[in-house]
């Protein structure tokens, strides 16, 4: 654990508290009721303890359980493409499927996929999912693992936890992905967390007996039989831990001591990690939250905000779109007009941002600012429609930075706007009393300065100009054929570039490539 370990003081943030709160976003991203991730973490820790683990080893189990879903948006785009935009429902279905039971798998896919789409739509969705399923397995596993391990590293986890989360799609019998790692080669924390993960779903849906039965059934296949046997033997005592009144308190209480403390810098790292998870949700928003934070930071500095407000603004800007995980990608990726019910999901995303961040006192002030990103001074914004008098300077700056950055990015229904068109629209918003004059002026000022930065002299990892072009298209979810057509090259040449790019950047998935491109500023639209 690279995060500081010590006795917690009232003014300090516990790392578990931050990650637990933000894990609520991962719950909704996979269509589970709130606290799914935290219940998994508690079950894993209880199971680990009853399997004889102590201290350091148990801490690794706790944090592996907590970070199991950090890759929850890694292939939202790909899932969305094969499921008619229902990435959340499809992920929710896939996550519990047992490949050792093809009949049950088929029944679940046929009865649950494409619900509400009519007979033809449903058949199409099921057919696409089945056709894609086989080839997507390993690439999904790469994507989940690359994102999860990257996030685990960013929030300060030990090497053991970072390595454990890369094995979350592996199985005890060696038929998992992406490396078919088997048996004792699987790290102990993930062997435990994977049992807790499936047990939690079965328990939540069908109760203790069903959970015990599913773990027993999958022992020796998906799960380490020895740990599965501990689980089955101790199941009642283990479930007692998640059936009490307050899961939140139990979750915090069960963290092995000494508790991990997040320094100020670490809190910012955690915010950055979840900003990246939020931005990965749709290929249209890659780099969005990080870009908004960069503009908001510079605008806050230009306006000489007090340091405490600047810190608040930075975290709120990074986390303002975490609530996007609550809506399926058919909403975010829709090229046409949104229906009233889809609009409702859009309006609710800031509610979810507020709900998630408010879970912990350490982020409560940031929650209020982040959730106000779409409020307007005339009271016609969402989700609270608060009047301008209640919006402080950080909220006003965030609203302006978010609006400007979003306009400079392409969206499914329009191309990216150039700087002067975006500035003109923002000026109109000021004139109509919707955005703050001072905040908009500062945002336009700093965004202009950022875009006149000196040209880059070399690409990272020796990437060529052409490879960067391919990488950008790849990160945005284009297929090999689409990349070839966009660049006027043959699919074979495009494939050749993709292989070289993966090798150079040491990633194996579209999501991993997207993270790399974001981290190195290769997708920047503003500065
Ligand atoms: Fe945003």
């Amino acid at each position: 654990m690279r995060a500081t370990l010590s006795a917690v003081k009232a003014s300090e943030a516990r790392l578990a508290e931050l990650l637990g709160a933000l894990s609520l976003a991962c719950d909704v991203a996979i269509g589970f009721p709130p606290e799914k991730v935290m219940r998994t973490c508690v079950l894993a820790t209880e199971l680990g303890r009853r399997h004889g683990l102590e201290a350091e080893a148990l801490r690794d189990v706790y944090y592996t359980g907590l970070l199991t879903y950090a890759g929850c948006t890694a292939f939202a785009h790909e899932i969305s493409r094969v499921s008619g935009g229902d990435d959340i429902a499809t992920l929710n279905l896939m996550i519990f499927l047992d490949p050792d039971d093809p009949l049950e798998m088929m029944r679940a896919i046929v009865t649950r996929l494409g619900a509400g789409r009519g007979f033809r739509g449903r058949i199409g969705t099921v057919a696409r999912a089945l056709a894609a399923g086989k080839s997507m397995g390993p690439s999904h596993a790469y994507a989940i693992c690359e994102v999860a391990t990257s996030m685990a590293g960013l929030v300060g986890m030990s090497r053991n936890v970072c390595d454990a989360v890369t094995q979350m799609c592996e199985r005890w019998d060696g038929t998992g992905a992406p490396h078919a790692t088997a048996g004792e080669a699987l790290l102990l924390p993930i062997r435990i967390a994977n049992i807790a993960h499936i047990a939690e779903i079965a328990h939540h849906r069908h109760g203790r007996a069903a959970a015990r039965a599913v773990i027993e059934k999958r022992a020796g296949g998906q799960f380490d039989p020895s740990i599965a046997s501990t689980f089955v033997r101790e199941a009642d005592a283990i479930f007692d831990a998640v059936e009490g009144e307050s899961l939140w308190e139990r979750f915090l209480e069960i963290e092995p001591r000494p508790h991990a403390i997040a320094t100020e810098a670490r809190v910012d790292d955690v915010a950055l990690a979840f900003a990246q998870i939020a931005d990965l949700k749709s290929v249209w928003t890659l780099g969005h939250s990080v870009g908004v934070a960069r503009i908001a930071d510079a605008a806050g500095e230009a306006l000489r905000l007090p340091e405490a407000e600047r810190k608040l603004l930075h975290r709120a800007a990074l986390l303002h779109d975490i609530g996007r995980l609550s809506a399926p990608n058919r909403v975010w990726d829709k090229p046409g007009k949104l229906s009233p019910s889809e609009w409702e999901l859009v309006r609710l995303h800031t509610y979810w941002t507020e709900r998630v961040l408010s879970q912990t006192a350490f982020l409560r002030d940031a929650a209020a600012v982040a959730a106000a990103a779409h409020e307007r001074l005339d009271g016609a914004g969402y989700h609270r429609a608060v009047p301008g008098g209640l919006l402080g300077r950080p909220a006003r700056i965030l609203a302006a930075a978010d609006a400007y950055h979003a306009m400079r990015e392409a969206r499914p229904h329009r191309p990216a706007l150039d700087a002067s068109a975006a500035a003109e629209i923002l000026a109109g918003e000021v004139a109509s009393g919707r955005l703050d004059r001072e905040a908009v002026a500062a945002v336009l000022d700093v965004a202009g300065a950022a875009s006149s930065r000196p040209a880059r002299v070399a690409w990272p990892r020796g990437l060529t100009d052409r490879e960067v072009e391919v990488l950008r298209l790849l990160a945005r979810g284009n297929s090999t054929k689409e990349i070839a057509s966009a660049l006027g090259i043959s699919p074979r040449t495009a494939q050749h570039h993709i292989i070289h790019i993966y090798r150079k950047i040491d990633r194996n998935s579209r999501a991993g490539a997207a993270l790399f491109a974001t981290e190195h500023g290769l997708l920047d639209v503003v500065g």
Side-chain angles (χ1 to χ4, degrees):
M1 174 73 55
R2 283 183 277 127
T4 315
L5 288 171
S6 69
V8 66
K9 294 178 204 148
S11 59
E12 288 174 323
R14 269 179 63 185
L15 186 60
E17 189 161 349
L18 289 174
L19 294 177
L22 291 164
S23 77
L24 293 169
C26 299
D27 294 332
V28 292
I30 44 180
F32 283 105
E35 300 182 332
K36 182 325 184 218
V37 175
M38 287 189 277
R39 281 193 298 275
T40 300
C41 170
V42 171
L43 290 176
T45 311
E46 276 292 340
L47 173 57
R49 194 164 63 79
R50 285 161 198 282
H51 197 66
L53 271 60
E54 288 175 9
E56 201 65 28
L58 206 51
R59 179 174 300 109
D60 285 350
V61 169
Y62 179 87
Y63 279 101
T64 300
L66 191 49
L67 288 164
T68 306
Y69 304 94
C72 61
T73 54
F75 57 96
H77 170 73
E78 286 77 5
I79 294 265
S80 177
R81 252 172 108 138
V82 298
S83 65
D86 284 337
D87 55 305
I88 296 178
T90 310
L91 192 52
N92 183 277
L93 170 70
M94 286 171 56
I95 215 162
F96 191 69
L97 292 180
D98 180 5
D100 285 342
D101 192 342
L103 258 182
E104 185 199 300
M105 251 178 93
M106 190 62 77
R107 190 169 53 234
I109 290 172
V110 171
T111 55
R112 288 184 53 196
L113 263 194
R117 299 189 158 267
F119 182 73
R120 289 181 66 175
R122 194 163 189 157
I123 294 291
T125 302
V126 170
R128 273 195 306 277
L130 289 174
K134 219 173 172 61
S135 63
M136 284 174 94
S139 63
H140 283 181
Y142 270 122
I144 296 176
C145 297
E146 286 183 352
V147 174
T149 194
S150 171
M151 298 309 139
L154 199 47
V155 304
M157 290 296 116
S158 66
R159 189 68 258 158
N160 203 32
V161 173
C162 293
D163 290 344
V165 296
T166 67
Q167 297 181 329
M168 68 179 64
C169 302
E170 304 289 0
R171 293 164 50 96
W172 176 259
D173 62 8
T175 61
H179 300 298
T181 310
E184 305 275 338
L186 292 172
L187 294 167
L188 199 53
I190 200 64
R191 278 187 262 157
I192 293 172
N194 276 349
I195 290 179
H197 154 57
I198 291 297
E200 193 285 330
I201 299 172
H203 173 249
H204 200 79
R205 287 180 183 167
H206 307 294
R208 292 184 177 195
R212 199 185 278 113
V214 78
I215 300 306
E216 210 161 16
K217 184 178 162 202
R218 299 189 189 187
Q222 186 176 5
F223 303 136
D224 177 340
S226 158
I227 303 173
S229 150
T230 303
F231 177 84
V232 171
R233 194 177 60 245
E234 305 267 352
D236 281 330
I238 291 170
F239 284 127
D240 280 347
V242 292
E243 289 182 354
E245 281 287 293
S246 170
L247 193 275
W248 176 247
E249 278 167 25
R250 184 76 185 120
F251 157 74
L252 291 174
E253 188 183 277
I254 205 172
E255 182 189 3
R257 288 173 187 272
H259 295 153
I261 305 303
T263 58
E264 288 283 344
R266 184 66 71 202
V267 176
D268 289 337
D269 289 340
V270 172
L272 175 61
F274 279 83
Q276 292 181 348
I277 291 170
D279 290 352
L280 276 175
K281 165 81 169 155
S282 163
V283 292
W284 299 97
T285 53
L286 295 177
H288 171 77
S289 302
V290 178
V292 171
R294 191 170 52 238
I295 292 181
D297 288 347
E301 192 179 343
L303 291 173
R304 297 179 192 279
L305 284 195
E307 199 190 330
E309 286 193 355
R310 278 166 57 190
K311 197 186 293 175
L312 185 67
L313 174 59
H314 176 69
R315 290 173 187 167
L318 284 173
L319 292 167
H320 78 280
D321 267 340
I322 194 75
R324 274 179 176 267
L325 271 56
S326 65
N329 275 10
R330 70 184 149 79
V331 172
W332 308 121
D333 296 351
K334 187 169 181 176
K337 196 168 176 270
L338 296 180
S339 70
S341 65
E342 287 165 343
W343 250 114
E344 199 52 33
L345 291 170
V346 171
R347 292 169 63 89
L348 277 172
H349 90 274
T350 50
Y351 160 78
W352 276 107
T353 292
E354 185 169 26
R355 173 73 190 82
V356 167
L357 303 188
S358 300
Q359 179 70 28
T360 164
F362 295 113
L363 294 176
R364 221 155 272 159
D365 290 343
V369 175
H374 291 274
E375 299 291 358
R376 293 295 180 259
L377 299 179
D378 60 1
Y382 63 86
H383 64 281
R384 291 189 183 281
V386 295
L390 295 181
L391 297 169
R393 291 173 93 200
R396 291 166 183 236
I397 294 169
L398 174 57
D402 184 37
Y404 180 76
H405 201 283
M407 284 190 280
R408 299 296 316 279
E409 296 165 88
R411 288 290 180 262
H413 57 282
R414 57 152 177 84
L417 273 61
D418 66 25
S420 59
E424 201 174 311
I425 292 176
L426 281 194
E429 292 286 283
V430 171
S432 60
R434 287 166 54 76
L435 286 175
D436 180 79
R437 183 177 303 279
E438 177 192 68
V440 166
V443 161
L444 293 179
D445 210 28
V446 299
S451 62
S452 61
R453 284 192 304 203
R456 189 191 290 267
V457 288
W459 301 115
R461 307 279 177 95
L463 290 168
T464 63
D465 288 349
R466 176 59 96 191
E467 284 167 348
V468 169
E469 285 178 316
V470 172
L471 174 57
R472 285 176 173 146
L473 291 165
L474 179 69
R476 298 275 186 206
N478 292 280
S479 66
T480 306
K481 254 188 187 167
E482 288 165 341
I483 293 171
S485 149
L487 298 178
I489 56 180
S490 73
R492 209 177 143 172
T493 307
Q495 186 59 34
H496 184 75
H497 285 310
I498 292 169
I499 291 167
H500 272 261
I501 291 166
Y502 279 146
R503 205 170 290 151
K504 284 184 177 178
I505 67 174
D506 195 23
R507 310 284 166 107
N508 290 290
S509 69
R510 199 260 326 156
L515 275 184
F516 179 89
T518 308
E519 283 158 15
H520 289 83
L522 304 182
L523 297 175
D524 285 1
V525 289
V526 186

